[in-house]
Each structure stands twice: as C-alpha cells, then as structure tokens.
Amino acid sequence: MGGVESAGDVPGRGVTGTGALLTERFEQDRVHLRAVAYRMLGSLAEADDALQEAWLRAAGSGIEGVENLGGWLTTVVSRVCLNMLRSRDRRREDSLDDRLSEPDVDPSGHDPEEEALMADSVGVALLVVLDTLAPAERLAFVLHDMFAVPFEDIAPMLERTPAAVRQLASRARRRVKGGAAATVRPDASRQRQVVEAFLAATRGGDFEALLALLHPDVVLHADRMVVPTPEPILVSGGRAVAQGAMAAMGRARFTGLALVDGACALAMAPRGRLRLVLTFAVSDGLITGIEVVAEPARLAALDIDVADPAVPEAGPVSGPVSGSGADVTE
C-alpha cells in the first residue's frame, strides 16, 4: 500500500497544524502500525486495509487533547483490527474459491514474495495458531506479548477489566505455547533436521538435494482437496515424489515448520489461513512416507502447535497506548 490519504483529502478537513502533525506521525509510525495489524490479521492486504480505515478514523476525529499520539494511533489500529476479526469470525467458513486459489496469486495485488517474507518473520505456525484464537484473545496476546502493551491500556479497547484481559492473554499464551508441553519423541531432533532440509530444498528448487532426502520407495498420500481431484492421490518412488514437490515451489514459500500431533511437520498458510499440512515418516534419516492433508474436516482434527514456542517480539510501544483526549467511533 502507498501513503495514506492526507488530512486534506478527508472531506470537510483542511490541512491544519494538527492535521499535518497527524500525517507526519502516521507515516513515521507506519512500519510499527503495519506490524501490529499484520500480527492481528495475518494478511498484508487486510493489514493495509486496516491502516487505511484507521487513518480515516483518526483524521476524522482529530487529535485535540491526545497526549501520546503514537500510542493513540496504535489504539485506533487495534480497534479496527478487532472489528475486522469479529466480522471474519461471523463468516468463519472460507469459500471454496479461496481454498482452491493458488497461494502465490493474491487478488489484492500484493507481492506474494513480501507476504511470504512477512509470514516467515512472524512464523507460519504461529499465524496458524493465532487464527484459532477468539478476537479478544488475539488482541490481548498480540499487544501484550508481542508489543509489551500493559493490560491496563488494552482493557479499554475490549471494555473489560485489566484482570480479565490478563486472563485472555494467558489463555491465548497457553494455546500458542502448547507445543512446549508436548511429549518429545526420541528422534525429534533428527526428524526436524530432515523436515527443515525438505522445505529448504523445495523452496530453493534443488531437485538433487530433495531426492537425497527421500527413500527410494517413499510413498506420498494426498487427499482429494490438495489438487483437488475426484479421488485421493498416491505417488510412489523418490523421483516421482521429488518431481511433485518441485511443482509445488510456489506453495512452499507460504509453508513453515509446525508441530502436528507432536511431530515436526509442515503447515502451509497463505495470508494466515491454514490450507494444508504435510506430515512425515522418517527412518534412518530418510523420508519414507508423506501425508498431505487439505480437507477442512481433517485439518480441524489435527493438533497444530508452534515448533518454536518462544514468541518473536516486535518491539514495545512507546508510552501508554490508550492516550487520552480524542475518541474514535467503533
């Protein structure tokens, strides 16, 4: 997204001293505000839509009496994201077109490479788990655990007490860090190395490296929704499986490590929505079996956790988030 509309572009408003100050501060904080919106929504297109809506609300309400402009803008963006999450929650089922669309084709026109890099910086599995949280839980967790916003400043956004917000964040934290309590398998470290190498070879288009990871008699099973096809797919043999993986290089950009039912696996989640999972059987350092799951009911039955439970912090917000003075209509 380019620059937001300036204060002078908002109907009924001229470029005043406060309008110029708001424009300057919004642009100064754009990277931070976009980071907040992306972690709240999991999609760059939606994050940029949230920033545009937040700008219009901020410019329309004015900043008279606002003591901490940066914190106030974070509040405005967070409230817009909360509304978007609640609206998404009411229409939770994704359309068939969304599920069948290729992840590297973004109808919003955003650069798929930028989307993939952003997902990697946050963690694909973390985005998947965040997408399972209730809107209020996600806001509390993202703002407190990822941006160090005090519960006292989050409480007014959710119209709850700080103690209640603390409970929301704690519940979300247990869900995000669920993988840390999973039983560690004796071969977990070796399996992770193999799965990481498989993803790196697929992303890099390194056919020979991929082939070296596969047992000559490897078998891949894929359900009907993966391609999709009328019947499930079965592919046998290292070379055939490697060729299929090379054909999925575009999908690999939106794929990351995850714990699936306690084992290291891969999850593909373009724009923060889980689309498919790959689980692996590994023996003596070679992949002997791959299961590709894309059917919604089967995905919902999987226990997906973050492979690295340490949550990447995006940096604290300077000063109180809620600020004071101007109010923004929900």
Side-chain angles (χ1 to χ4, degrees), residues 140 144-145 149-156 161-163 165-167 169-170 173:
H144 181 268
D145 283 47
V149 177
F151 294 123
E152 292 75 13
D153 291 331
I154 302 172
T161 65
V165 175
R166 183 186 298 274
Q167 289 182 339
S170 178
R173 194 177 305 117

Side-chain angles (χ1 to χ4, degrees), residues 195-219:
V195 173
E196 285 180 329
F198 179 91
L199 178 60
T202 305
R203 282 182 170 182
D206 191 336
F207 182 83
E208 294 303 324
L210 189 58
L211 194 60
L213 294 168
L214 300 171
H215 189 280
D217 299 321
V218 62
V219 177

Side-chain angles (χ1 to χ4, degrees), residues 233-249:
I233 296 173
L234 187 147
V235 180
S236 301
R239 185 164 293 275
V241 171
Q243 288 171 341
M246 291 295 95
M249 284 178 58

Side-chain angles (χ1 to χ4, degrees), residues 95-112:
S95 71
L96 181 61
D97 287 344
D98 287 341
R99 288 199 164 271
L100 299 185
S101 63
E102 284 301 312
D104 52 352
V105 178
D106 190 337
S108 69
H110 279 72
D111 179 10

